[in-house]
Amino acid sequence: MMSMPRCLRICGGNDSLRGTDAMPATTMIDAIRDALDVALTDDPTVTVFGQDVGYFGGVFRCTAGLQKKHGIDRCFDTPISELGIVGVAIGMAAYGRKPVVEIQFADYMYPAYDQIVSEAARLRYRTAGEFTCPIVIRMPTGGGIFGAQTHSQSPEALFTHVTGLKVVMPSNPIDAKGLLLSAIDDPDPVIFLEPKRLYNGPFDGHHDRPVSPWRTHPMGEAPLGRYLVPLGQAAIRRKGAALTVLAYGTMVHVALAAVEETAIDAEVIDLRTLLPLDLETIVASVRKTGRCVVVHEATLTSGFGAELAALVQAECFWHLHAPVERVAGWDTPYPHTNEWDYFPGPARVAAACRRVLEVQ
Amino acid sequence: MAARKVPDLPNVSKDDLLKYYREMLLIRRFEEKAGQLYGMGLIGGFCHLYIGQEAVVVGLEAAAEEGDKRITSYRDHGHMLACGMDPKGVMAELTGREGGYSRGKGGSMHMFSKEKHFYGGHGIVGAQVPLGAGLAFSDKYKGNDRVTFTYFGDGAANQGQVYETYNMAELWDLPVIFVIENNQYAMGTSVKRSTKSPTLWQRGAAYGIEGEAVDGMDVLAVKEAGQRAVAHCRAGKGPYILEVMTYRYRGHSMSDPAKYRSREEVQKMREERDAIEHVRDLLMQGGHATDEDLKAIDKEIKAIVNEAAEFAKDSPEPDPAELWTDIYAKVAPQTA
């Protein structure tokens, strides 16, 4: 009855400061901290703030040590005021600074949503380009930690629906660092969603198996110093001919596990950036395979998968052998105890792949 | 070890003192047990313990009457026990079982009881505050004199929605008591690192709301302040703010690196200001109870808590079909 690891640590207990002190980052937490450290070092206008971000070092420890190293002017605590955090960041950004703010959980974003949509995303347009809003809003996202409905959501579609924003979700430490540095360099507002279940290791949806560390994963060790992973560029994680699986964040690992376990020769694409979307890579793959499964953890209806399915059918209609399938969280609140019934794990992804392959 | 100050003997009955002692002890022992179950992996995810703050809810519940409402944040176990909810149902929700108050759907942060007028258990900092005003507004429509205790922390006190609510509550004379449980730390950020306001309750003055600060480690002081607040609201004078100065002994949640305060600071509070020890002293010095009497109460409480823990372990996990219940009035499950 109690096969799942119920006692998963939700906060990173890692204060080693790898990634900041000449040792390559070996977790997603370290990689993100390393990116912030590089940005703070290279660009005197970069400013990092949020709840518990300064003195405490962040609830997931992504900013541990940064205040000590760069000073309280560059990395500091805020009150628990999400709309204030984002609003102040927008003002700073409009007037010469580069704020990188943290919303402690993506689920806490809603009070700030008005600022994100009405101000951050629209400032450039509204001022005919005179003012811009180069901010990055980091948010731990997704479930798998028994956080129930207020600490597990994946709200990416609420952002991809807003013109003017860019939306990024890395799936591993190497990308996390390179994408975050690109996001900070970017002249427009970027929503940077960090799958919290991936902070301390890749997670393929097999919640009943031991957690594996990033250090044994090929994408687990983020190199030292500055490097960029460009926004708007997907990565093919597995080459294949039978069908194309589109995924991002945690679900990249779930999709890879699903196709390996079923020996399906799928091409697995890690989108990395949802806005702007690398449609070219997607279309080339689906035109080659003729079949497509879209996977995300967020709820199904009006999820980002709907956009992907629409684009694939429009761009690849004459190459498709089967309808595009979506595998997503059910249209329910994120459950507490029944978390793994909700989570679209490898079995559900594999079943969708089989269905798509069955169509002649 | 610094000695605690010997309290003056107040004008309070033996029965009341014993009641407060028992209720505070129940919360503490319950929370200690919850901590153990968490360590054993029986409770998953988030779990915010109330240890240290017991006098706040016990004192305010002593000022409440039948039909008064309460609503709070995610550090909610103490509130539920103090308003008389069944420890078994609370513990079983912590373990995510069918026998829990939300049948395993809510977990530690999201529990409710219509019978006890407990409106949750809310996981988003500050989000319960406007709801509390709404509950009070409903009572105003009903034309009764019931009040709503709307609890939030020093962290939530910096949320914008708190001040939108203050303005409306005063504008419409709502019978709501805003209880700021100031335990000094918003997760890892101390009050002095999050505001320059010398007090939190005085912010209400900008909206014309009366209030006061009270020593939250003294259950009798909390009760008296609660009675003043209740009288104010019942008299139709609108909202009232109580800033209750308290302290949490344990981490913000179960995984708290505790690097934001010293061990000595916590130890000093435990030794010099503990609310349960305070009542224990009053009982002993007033000649109201012997060591033996208090040991018997300890035993009784321990039995209640153990029974709750056993229930929470034995109650079955919810059926996967429960995924599809309580979403809309009617819902058709998705399949794939």
Side-chain angles (χ1 to χ4, degrees):
Chain A
M1 186 167 69
M2 200 54 72
S3 56
M4 45 199 172
R6 302 295 299 272
C7 188
L8 190 76
R9 289 271 156 184
I10 47 148
C11 295
N14 180 354
D15 271 354
S16 71
L17 304 196
R18 284 183 86 89
T20 56
D21 292 326
M23 273 193 300
T26 50
T27 67
M28 191 116 121
I29 293 167
D30 293 337
I32 285 159
R33 185 197 296 122
D34 189 13
L36 294 170
D37 184 35
V38 168
L40 284 161
T41 305
D42 292 354
D43 182 348
T45 67
V46 169
T47 313
V48 174
F49 56 100
Q51 294 157 23
D52 287 316
V53 157
Y55 183 83
F56 184 61
V59 65
F60 291 104
R61 319 306 296 151
C62 288
T63 55
L66 295 180
Q67 183 177 81
K68 208 169 183 182
K69 181 169 176 185
H70 296 279
I72 200 165
D73 295 343
R74 305 290 305 285
C75 176
F76 57 88
D77 293 317
T78 65
I80 306 181
S81 318
E82 288 82 7
L83 100 156
I85 293 167
V86 174
V88 165
I90 295 167
M92 277 184 170
Y95 190 47
R97 295 204 70 83
K98 284 227 160 206
V100 184
V101 299
E102 177 177 303
I103 298 294
Q104 201 160 68
F105 284 77
D107 314 65
Y108 303 171
M109 168 279 296
Y110 303 110
Y113 195 57
D114 182 47
Q115 287 292 333
I116 294 171
V117 176
S118 307
E119 301 294 337
R122 308 275 161 75
L123 194 64
R124 180 184 293 279
Y125 184 81
R126 186 153 74 228
T127 63
E130 191 163 16
F131 290 105
T132 60
C133 185
I135 61 171
V136 178
I137 307 175
R138 298 178 37 244
M139 303 180 196
T141 188
I145 64 157
F146 284 102
Q149 55 192 276
T150 52
H151 294 75
S152 308
Q153 296 164 86
S154 297
E156 65 272 13
L158 298 180
F159 301 117
T160 57
H161 196 53
V162 180
T163 303
L165 299 178
K166 295 185 177 179
V167 182
V168 178
M169 197 189 295
S171 70
N172 61 73
I174 292 180
D175 280 358
K177 180 176 171 184
L179 286 166
L180 183 51
L181 282 167
S182 290
I184 295 170
D185 283 354
D186 200 90
D188 284 307
V190 180
I191 306 294
F192 196 85
L193 297 161
E194 300 165 7
K196 62 178 99 73
R197 186 61 210 240
L198 298 183
Y199 270 146
N200 284 307
F203 175 65
D204 62 9
H206 287 295
H207 55 88
D208 44 0
R209 293 183 190 167
V211 178
S212 67
W214 274 119
R215 64 181 74 243
T216 58
H217 190 278
M219 296 298 285
E221 190 172 303
L224 289 169
R226 171 177 284 271
Y227 66 89
L228 300 176
V229 173
L231 305 189
Q233 224 175 70
I236 298 174
R237 296 293 174 210
R238 184 190 188 282
K239 285 257 177 215
L243 70 115
T244 302
V245 180
L246 305 180
Y248 48 91
T250 308
M251 301 314 290
V252 171
H253 303 275
V254 174
L256 286 168
V259 301
E260 294 304 334
E261 287 156 16
T262 49
I264 291 172
D265 185 26
E267 186 142 295
V268 177
I269 298 180
D270 176 355
L271 299 180
R272 302 200 285 198
T273 305
L274 309 187
L275 263 189
L277 183 68
D278 182 358
L279 194 57
E280 207 178 310
T281 299
I282 296 170
V283 169
S285 176
V286 178
R287 285 188 180 171
K288 178 181 74 176
T289 62
R291 299 168 201 269
C292 181
V293 172
V294 176
V295 187
H296 58 63
E297 189 185 333
T299 47
L300 180 78
T301 301
S302 301
F304 190 63
E307 180 64 28
L308 292 172
L311 286 168
V312 166
Q313 74 82 22
E315 298 290 329
C316 312
F317 188 78
W318 302 107
H319 298 78
L320 284 173
H321 306 308
V324 178
E325 280 257 4
R326 286 181 292 160
V327 184
W330 303 121
D331 288 334
T332 76
Y334 210 106
H336 181 59
T337 303
N338 292 335
E339 172 152 52
W340 300 118
D341 297 313
Y342 169 93
F343 188 89
R348 265 158 71 187
V349 177
C353 291
R354 281 195 215 97
R355 278 196 305 277
V356 163
L357 287 172
E358 276 165 14
V359 180
Q360 292 304 311
Chain B
M1 170 174 156
R4 273 175 309 109
K5 208 176 88 191
V6 177
D8 297 329
L9 294 183
N11 183 22
V12 56
S13 77
K14 169 188 168 179
D15 286 352
D16 280 351
L17 281 176
L18 283 170
K19 180 172 174 286
Y20 306 150
Y21 182 75
R22 190 177 269 116
E23 289 176 358
M24 289 196 288
L25 199 63
L26 172 63
I27 295 172
R28 183 156 305 178
R29 296 285 175 262
F30 181 96
E31 294 290 64
E32 287 165 356
K33 180 62 81 177
Q36 284 170 18
L37 296 188
Y38 196 96
M40 291 160 66
L42 285 160
I43 297 172
F46 290 64
C47 184
H48 309 85
L49 302 181
Y50 199 65
I51 295 173
Q53 300 180 213
E54 296 90 345
V56 181
V57 287
V58 170
L60 290 175
E61 284 296 337
E65 289 174 15
E66 175 54 34
D68 289 337
K69 290 158 200 63
R70 59 284 289 166
I71 184 167
T72 190
S73 70
Y74 44 83
R75 196 178 306 285
D76 54 358
H77 314 160
H79 303 69
M80 295 187 274
L81 298 173
C83 75
M85 286 166 66
D86 184 352
K88 294 203 290 287
V90 179
M91 197 69 97
E93 189 61 36
L94 294 181
T95 55
R97 306 304 176 88
E98 222 172 72
Y101 268 100
S102 297
R103 300 207 308 280
K105 290 183 149 99
S108 161
M109 300 179 283
H110 314 110
M111 276 182 254
F112 304 82
S113 166
K114 201 178 247 179
E115 183 202 347
K116 299 293 178 190
H117 311 285
F118 179 72
Y119 285 82
H122 295 265
I124 296 294
V125 171
Q128 76 278 13
V129 178
L131 274 62
L135 294 167
F137 212 159
S138 263
D139 271 329
K140 204 174 153 78
Y141 271 103
K142 287 179 194 295
N144 62 32
D145 65 351
R146 298 300 87 182
V147 307
T148 299
F149 292 88
T150 300
Y151 293 87
F152 55 100
D154 47 285
N158 293 317
Q159 278 279 357
Q161 57 188 331
V162 169
Y163 300 93
E164 297 184 27
T165 306
Y166 277 7
N167 191 43
M168 288 186 267
E170 178 65 19
L171 177 67
W172 298 321
D173 294 321
L174 303 182
V176 54
I177 300 168
F178 297 110
V179 183
I180 306 170
E181 292 194 65
N182 186 345
N183 69 12
Q184 327 290 337
Y185 292 93
M187 193 173 290
T189 299
S190 73
V191 171
K192 65 177 184 297
R193 281 197 299 275
S194 64
T195 184
K196 279 195 172 177
S197 301
T199 73
L200 298 175
W201 71 271
Q202 283 173 312
R203 293 181 186 179
Y207 304 87
I209 306 179
E210 289 180 41
E212 61 183 285
V214 54
D215 179 0
M217 305 309 272
D218 178 347
V219 69
L220 302 175
V222 174
K223 181 194 169 189
E224 280 172 25
Q227 285 170 329
R228 282 191 292 276
V230 167
H232 179 94
C233 287
R234 291 216 208 285
K237 293 181 187 168
Y240 198 88
I241 300 172
L242 289 177
E243 181 178 357
V244 190
M245 308 308 291
T246 182
Y247 198 80
R248 83 171 139 71
Y249 296 169
R250 303 287 286 264
H252 164 76
S253 65
M254 299 308 290
S255 40
D256 178 338
K259 293 193 171 172
Y260 49 87
R261 62 181 180 186
S262 67
R263 212 178 283 254
E264 292 71 33
E265 178 187 304
V266 183
Q267 200 54 31
K268 193 170 153 65
M269 286 300 284
R270 275 180 178 273
E271 284 169 6
E272 297 178 14
R273 295 304 328 277
D274 187 77
I276 298 176
E277 289 300 314
H278 170 73
V279 175
R280 189 186 166 89
D281 286 352
L282 294 177
L283 281 164
M284 300 284 279
Q285 281 153 24
H288 299 311
T290 63
D291 230 5
E292 291 304 304
D293 295 336
L294 297 182
K295 271 184 190 151
I297 293 177
D298 279 4
K299 210 173 151 189
E300 179 198 324
I301 297 293
K302 210 171 166 186
I304 295 172
V305 169
N306 284 338
E307 190 194 2
E310 287 311 310
F311 178 79
K313 287 182 210 167
D314 293 343
S315 177
E317 294 209 343
D319 190 275
E322 282 284 337
L323 193 61
W324 295 105
T325 56
D326 306 312
I327 298 164
Y328 295 104
K330 278 176 92 171
V331 67
Q334 288 165 311
T335 50

